[in-house]
Amino acid sequence: SLVFTSDKPMRQIARLGNACPGGFTGEGTTEVTCTSDNPEGRNGGAMLAADNPTRIGVSMITTQRQGVAFGILLSKVFLQKIVESRMNPTDSFDISVATGDGTVLATTRTYDSARVNTGDVVTIGSSAGAPFTLSETANSGSLSDYNESWACTRNDEPDPTLPSGAAGSSAQVRLAIGDLVFCTITNAALQGSISLQKIAGAVTDVNRNGVRDAGDTIPYTFLVTNTGQVTMNSIAVNDPPIGAVTCPVTTLAPGASTTCASVNPYTFTAADVTAGRFTNTATATGIPQGASTPVSSNTSATTTTLEAPKAALTLAKTVTPTSAAAPGDRVAYHYTVTNTGNVDITGLAIAETAFSGSGAVPTPLCPVTSLAPGASTVCTADYTV
């Protein structure tokens, strides 16, 4: 016979092999007996458990030479921490396993490591089904800057009763005798990102010549949007050719936007005109809340076409009629003038440079004396043969 004793009632977990054919008595008390009433070979045994005992023992009574082995079946918790990315390089986390009354059984710290664990935490002495608290805390930094994701198994198998996904920074698990609960908490820093859209304003024709050329100016605005998951601080725009840029706010919540503007407009140079265009690129920066390293936006560029001033006119002269029959006949001259350049023309006049008639040189009259690029006018003059 085998006699099990404890200061706490014992219950059977399993009966293995052909043990105890003569009887199994006392279950639910502090003394349980397993007997054999025949000389046949025996293997296996009775597996018993007591909740939170301070003493447990077993004795074997036999008239034969025997060999026997006894083992204690333990429940274990294994808690692992994985840091996929950090908001700040110095962020560090503590993980711990504690009993339901708050007694810490194991704890460890990540420091700058990407992966740490508590190892197997033996839960001997705990009541069956008692909860254990698995948790993490931020030793440096803030958990609010991270997405937390749990993944747990029980005896290498999925278990829907265990914490999973976004279970928070603390969760409880319950263990049966012999269980191994393996949990991993993975932290990934909330993503901080911003986008930039650069907008060119209207060109001011400073010299009023009708073209975009050297000396003219252009202002710029910059739409900055927080496209990340965390508040962005110290918003700034960098556009070297433009110079200083001011923003009405420098902190943006996720999804919020602000429009920044150049302090002074940009003045086109002769080199810009020679190139035929002015193109420049801007970038926005911001620092995610809880971090110290800035992140940059996309680059955003605008192009403004430019041209050198070029004045040009064309003239087409006609006469009606094309022949005269006698002295005293009148003929009419028409002078079609077109501005084929790219600047405004003022002070328009027709000059007859050569005239073979014996009468007075005709004086052309123009209805307008200013022409915009591409515009035309017809001047006229009469002559008596």
Side-chain angles (χ1 to χ4, degrees):
S1 64
L2 295 172
V3 180
F4 299 86
T5 58
S6 174
D7 63 337
K8 296 293 176 66
M10 292 173 286
R11 64 186 182 281
Q12 184 179 15
I13 299 175
R15 184 179 299 174
L16 304 179
N18 60 357
C20 311
F24 183 77
T25 59
E27 184 177 7
T29 71
T30 58
E31 183 174 302
V32 178
T33 302
C34 166
T35 62
S36 173
D37 57 1
N38 61 65
E40 296 179 3
R42 298 287 164 225
N43 61 73
M47 296 181 66
L48 302 174
D51 291 340
N52 201 25
T54 59
R55 176 181 58 82
I56 191 164
V58 61
S59 62
M60 180 170 64
I61 303 170
T62 179
T63 60
Q64 305 295 326
R65 182 176 296 170
Q66 302 282 349
V68 66
F70 298 96
I72 300 175
L73 191 61
L74 302 176
S75 301
K76 299 178 181 179
V77 176
F78 187 102
L79 181 58
Q80 178 177 237
K81 178 67 179 176
I82 297 176
V83 183
E84 285 188 347
S85 58
R86 283 177 164 84
M87 182 68 73
N88 194 303
T90 60
D91 286 356
S92 179
F93 307 93
D94 292 338
I95 56 173
S96 65
V97 177
T99 62
D101 62 5
T103 301
V104 177
L105 303 179
T107 184
T108 188
R109 179 169 294 173
T110 62
Y111 294 101
D112 58 354
S113 299
R115 185 187 300 257
V116 297
N117 63 73
T118 61
D120 288 335
V121 181
V122 178
T123 61
I124 187 171
S126 301
S127 300
F132 291 87
T133 300
L134 313 183
S135 62
E136 72 160 332
T137 57
N139 170 257
S140 176
S142 172
L143 289 177
S144 63
D145 295 331
Y146 291 82
N147 285 321
E148 297 166 300
S149 179
W150 290 66
C152 297
T153 59
R154 188 187 302 274
N155 304 322
D156 294 326
E157 297 291 336
D159 186 339
T161 66
L162 295 175
S164 63
S169 59
S170 177
Q172 288 189 332
V173 299
R174 296 178 183 273
L175 305 179
I177 297 296
D179 274 352
L180 170 59
V181 170
F182 191 111
C183 286
T184 299
I185 308 174
T186 301
N187 280 11
L190 295 177
Q191 294 300 306
S193 61
I194 54 176
S195 67
L196 174 66
Q197 181 183 2
K198 180 179 178 180
I199 304 165
V203 174
T204 299
D205 187 5
V206 175
N207 51 21
R208 300 182 181 180
N209 61 1
V211 296
R212 298 171 179 173
D213 63 347
D216 291 346
T217 61
I218 183 171
Y220 291 94
T221 56
F222 308 84
L223 179 63
V224 183
T225 302
N226 183 350
T227 54
Q229 302 171 299
V230 63
T231 296
M232 299 293 289
N233 299 315
S234 302
I235 297 295
V237 174
N238 182 37
D239 192 338
I242 303 305
V245 175
T246 59
C247 300
V249 296
T250 57
T251 296
L252 291 178
S257 298
T258 188
T259 298
C260 307
S262 55
V263 174
N264 299 305
Y266 176 75
T267 301
F268 299 124
T269 66
D272 298 331
V273 175
T274 300
R277 64 184 56 83
F278 173 67
T279 300
N280 68 314
T281 301
T283 304
T285 59
I287 301 177
Q289 185 167 294
S292 58
T293 303
V295 298
S296 297
S297 71
N298 58 293
T299 57
S300 182
T302 60
T303 297
T304 304
T305 58
L306 304 171
E307 54 185 333
K310 183 179 68 175
L313 293 173
T314 61
L315 173 64
K317 179 180 178 182
T318 61
V319 62
T320 304
T322 57
S323 62
D329 288 350
R330 295 178 63 83
V331 294
Y333 294 102
H334 301 274
Y335 308 82
T336 301
V337 184
T338 303
N339 183 351
T340 56
N342 61 4
V343 294
D344 293 340
I345 294 295
T346 60
L348 179 67
I350 304 296
E352 287 284 4
T353 57
F355 190 74
S356 61
S358 60
V361 176
T363 302
L365 300 177
C366 298
V368 296
T369 58
S370 297
L371 288 180
S376 298
T377 189
V378 178
C379 304
T380 59
D382 291 331
Y383 177 67
T384 301
V385 177

